Amino acid sequence: MAKSKVLVVGGTGYIGRRIVQASLAQGHETYVLQRPEIGLDIEKLQMLLSFKKQGAHLIEGSFNDHKSLVEAIKQVDVVISTMSGVHFRSHNLLLQLKLVEAIKEAGNVKRFLPSEFGMDPARMGHALEPGRVTFYEKMVVRKAIEDANIPFTYVVANCFAGYFVGNLSQLERLTPPKHQVYLYGDGNVKVVFMDEDDIATYTIKAIDDPRTLNKTLYIRPPENILTQSQLIQNWEKLTEKKLDKISISAQDFLASMKGMDFAGQVGVGHFYHIFYEGCLTNFEIGEQGEEASKLYPEVDYIRMDEYLKIYT
């Protein structure tokens, strides 16, 4: 079967650059949207040029120019959006509504993957303010896709290892704590941790797969379902050093929101749902979903004890 031509929108971003690499690695003709909005960001430009060197096509298009988006989309079969939805960097999920309009007009797209890659927004209707805005906006985009009858796959990738594993899931740091670690409740809620390159690999495998058409792909491989306590134990085993554990009750954790800026409050809310409620694992994947490691058992995904070794 011929491999789809892929357009990545947001290809210089944290997940986007990995999606571009995975698409090239799996032999897809890969296009990356080059937006004039990058202005004088030399690092983004150099990344785009490095993609070009590896065989990707750079294609100009802007969210301020509907025609340019339609022209770009007409050249491909699959569109993957990886636009940022995190509040401590940039947050522009609703810009994707312009992409939906362009895909609808172009009329040739076999599959659209909007920017998701975190928790399943369809299960987060109860989410706390102000963090619920992320899930609300993702659902607005989903509704637009489905109303336009655009074929889709939604990717629920859970916790990025770079943000949740190296720091043993501590807020406001990215490296492992040296002496003490904060434990969310008893630390025994099951969480899913994923290496970002593996997320990209699974995502690209799904784009031509009829089993994932108009479904949600949950990236939830069994060996990466760990509690925070297990994660800490893995680290202690690696370093042969015990950390002091300070348990934080749900009430105290939520109270810590007071006085935080907007991005901080969003972060606390999301951590609450993950580490106290267990929102990543407290449901069965139903008929509207597929689990990535079951579909693609050939992917040798990185386990978190292995991942932690880079921090030792």
Side-chain angles (χ1 to χ4, degrees):
M1 199 170 98
K3 287 181 180 278
S4 288
K5 294 178 180 177
V6 178
L7 172 65
V8 182
V9 180
T12 59
Y14 184 66
I15 283 292
R17 69 189 76 166
R18 292 169 166 88
I19 297 275
V20 173
Q21 301 283 8
S23 180
L24 289 167
Q26 292 180 41
H28 291 272
E29 196 170 332
T30 305
Y31 294 75
V32 185
L33 194 71
Q34 181 176 343
R35 294 161 59 198
E37 290 93 322
I38 67 167
L40 297 175
D41 191 328
I42 189 71
E43 288 182 3
K44 283 188 177 179
L45 177 63
Q46 288 183 341
M47 195 185 301
L48 288 167
L49 293 172
S50 79
F51 294 151
K52 189 178 176 186
K53 215 173 180 177
Q54 293 166 62
H57 307 279
L58 303 184
I59 187 164
E60 290 192 6
S62 169
F63 282 97
N64 301 321
D65 181 355
H66 175 73
K67 191 165 173 279
S68 73
L69 285 182
V70 174
E71 289 308 311
I73 288 161
K74 279 184 175 173
Q75 297 184 51
V76 299
D77 310 301
V78 171
V79 178
I80 304 175
S81 170
T82 58
M83 300 179 71
S84 176
V86 290
H87 288 273
F88 59 87
R89 289 170 76 172
S90 59
H91 184 91
N92 41 27
L93 291 173
L94 291 182
L95 264 184
Q96 292 180 106
L97 295 175
K98 294 187 176 187
L99 206 49
V100 172
E101 283 303 310
I103 290 168
K104 187 177 172 182
E105 187 174 319
N108 62 298
V109 168
K110 293 180 191 167
R111 196 87 61 106
F112 177 42
L113 285 71
S115 187
E116 295 225 352
F117 305 104
M119 301 178 234
D120 184 355
R123 298 179 184 275
M124 299 306 295
H126 67 291
L128 296 168
E129 296 284 10
R132 68 179 297 154
V133 66
T134 307
F135 312 117
Y136 169 75
E137 289 181 357
K138 286 178 179 179
M139 291 307 291
V140 168
V141 174
R142 283 191 181 192
K143 185 176 187 306
I145 292 165
E146 291 168 31
D147 286 351
N149 289 317
I150 294 166
F152 63 83
T153 298
Y154 303 137
V155 179
V156 171
N158 300 299
C159 290
F160 295 168
Y163 284 108
F164 286 89
V165 174
N167 57 0
L168 307 182
S169 301
Q170 304 299 285
L171 276 163
E172 296 182 341
R173 64 178 300 148
L174 293 174
T175 53
K178 287 186 166 52
H179 307 293
Q180 63 180 38
V181 62
Y182 289 104
L183 209 57
Y184 304 117
D186 60 9
N188 291 328
V189 170
K190 287 182 175 174
V191 181
V192 187
F193 301 102
M194 284 303 303
D195 175 82
E196 292 85 342
D197 292 327
D198 289 341
I199 291 170
T201 298
Y202 282 124
T203 299
I204 296 298
K205 280 191 170 284
I207 61 176
D208 283 331
D209 190 340
R211 296 173 296 177
T212 58
L213 179 62
N214 297 334
K215 285 191 176 183
T216 300
L217 180 74
Y218 293 90
I219 306 180
R220 201 160 94 171
E223 288 187 52
N224 281 7
I225 301 172
L226 303 170
T227 66
Q228 188 198 9
S229 287
Q230 287 173 315
L231 189 66
I232 293 165
Q233 283 161 19
N234 282 344
W235 177 247
E236 289 177 332
K237 199 173 163 187
L238 270 176
T239 57
E240 297 180 345
K241 186 185 171 189
K242 290 279 180 197
L243 294 168
D244 290 331
K245 293 160 195 77
I246 301 166
S247 176
I248 311 174
S249 70
Q251 201 176 351
D252 287 348
F253 186 70
L254 289 176
S256 72
M257 266 195 202
K258 209 173 177 183
M260 281 188 174
D261 63 8
F262 184 82
Q265 290 181 32
V266 169
V268 167
H270 289 187
F271 266 62
Y272 172 78
H273 295 303
I274 294 166
F275 291 101
Y276 290 93
E277 275 188 2
C279 70
L280 305 182
T281 57
N282 64 3
F283 61 91
E284 293 296 318
I285 295 170
E287 286 179 9
Q288 285 310 299
E290 296 286 350
E291 199 283 304
S293 69
K294 283 183 183 165
L295 294 184
Y296 316 112
E298 69 279 6
V299 176
D300 184 19
Y301 62 91
I302 292 176
R303 277 67 171 171
M304 292 303 108
D305 53 348
E306 194 62 34
Y307 184 89
L308 278 168
K309 286 178 183 173
I310 60 176
Y311 295 89
T312 58

